[in-house]
Amino acid sequence: MKKTFLWIFIALISGAILGKLTFDKYENLDVKPVISLDKNVYMLKYGTYSNLDEMQDDVTTIDRYVYIEDNNEVKAYVAICTTKKNIDKIKDIYSNKNINLTTEKVNIDNSEFIQNLNEYEKLLDATDDEKSLLMIQNQILSSYEKMVVNNE
């Protein structure tokens, strides 16, 4: 019986020492993230306004848009993309409708939205159809409103 307890004690001590050595080895590693999410996105700006009422009165030709209030200004945006190529596709659609938009780079601090946007970006890359592009943009804007504006 004493022999059994001695072997159990030796096994526990050696396991603790080996565990400590193993975990100490991993604490000193320089770990780099596998996925780097770029938080800068391209947005098509419809306009900049001094207040919300002024913006709502002016943005009547667009079905879906989001706005950002910053520094006593309200900016209305109609599209969000991660690549310049796709934002230019959307901009061309609105240019054909005689709606002049400007491209802005905006920083968004919501990694879940950025991951969703990267998935939608694959769909935008795959199509050149105007209806499909606008439908995908409506989904992106809805996702932005849900995840970033409403923090859901």
Side-chain angles (χ1 to χ4, degrees):
M1 186 79 167
K2 282 185 179 183
K3 239 180 180 181
T4 306
F5 284 120
L6 180 64
W7 285 112
I8 291 173
F9 182 71
I10 291 171
L12 288 173
I13 296 296
S14 62
I17 291 171
L18 289 174
K20 173 90 170 108
L21 290 173
T22 303
F23 285 117
D24 285 347
K25 181 179 177 182
Y26 285 107
E27 282 182 4
N28 298 330
L29 287 179
D30 183 26
V31 180
K32 296 179 183 172
V34 176
I35 298 174
S36 174
L37 297 175
D38 186 14
K39 295 182 179 186
N40 289 320
V41 298
Y42 293 100
M43 296 179 86
L44 284 181
K45 182 172 72 170
Y46 188 84
T48 303
Y49 307 95
S50 59
N51 60 42
L52 193 60
D53 292 331
E54 182 182 332
M55 181 212 54
Q56 289 172 338
D57 290 341
D58 188 48
V59 185
T60 56
T61 59
I62 304 295
D63 294 333
R64 184 97 174 125
Y65 63 91
V66 294
Y67 63 90
I68 297 174
E69 294 182 75
D70 189 33
N71 296 331
N72 297 328
E73 290 182 334
V74 179
K75 295 180 182 180
Y77 297 99
V78 297
I80 306 170
C81 293
T82 59
T83 63
K84 183 84 167 125
K85 177 185 142 197
N86 286 332
I87 205 72
D88 288 339
K89 281 186 197 179
I90 307 296
K91 190 174 184 177
D92 289 342
I93 293 171
Y94 285 109
S95 293
N96 292 338
K97 296 178 179 182
N98 293 324
I99 300 173
N100 293 326
L101 304 170
T102 55
T103 304
E104 266 190 14
K105 217 165 188 191
V106 177
N107 187 353
I108 297 177
D109 285 331
N110 187 315
S111 59
E112 185 179 356
F113 172 73
I114 298 295
Q115 286 176 338
N116 281 352
L117 184 59
N118 286 333
E119 293 301 316
Y120 282 121
E121 198 73 29
K122 293 174 188 174
L123 296 172
L124 291 172
D125 284 335
T127 188
D128 287 323
D129 179 50
E130 183 178 311
K131 275 188 165 182
S132 297
L133 289 169
L134 292 176
M135 190 169 64
I136 294 167
Q137 272 306 313
N138 282 341
Q139 291 298 317
I140 292 171
L141 294 174
S142 293
S143 176
Y144 177 85
E145 192 172 351
K146 181 180 177 185
M147 293 179 175
V148 179
V149 177
N150 296 333
N151 292 324
E152 290 180 9

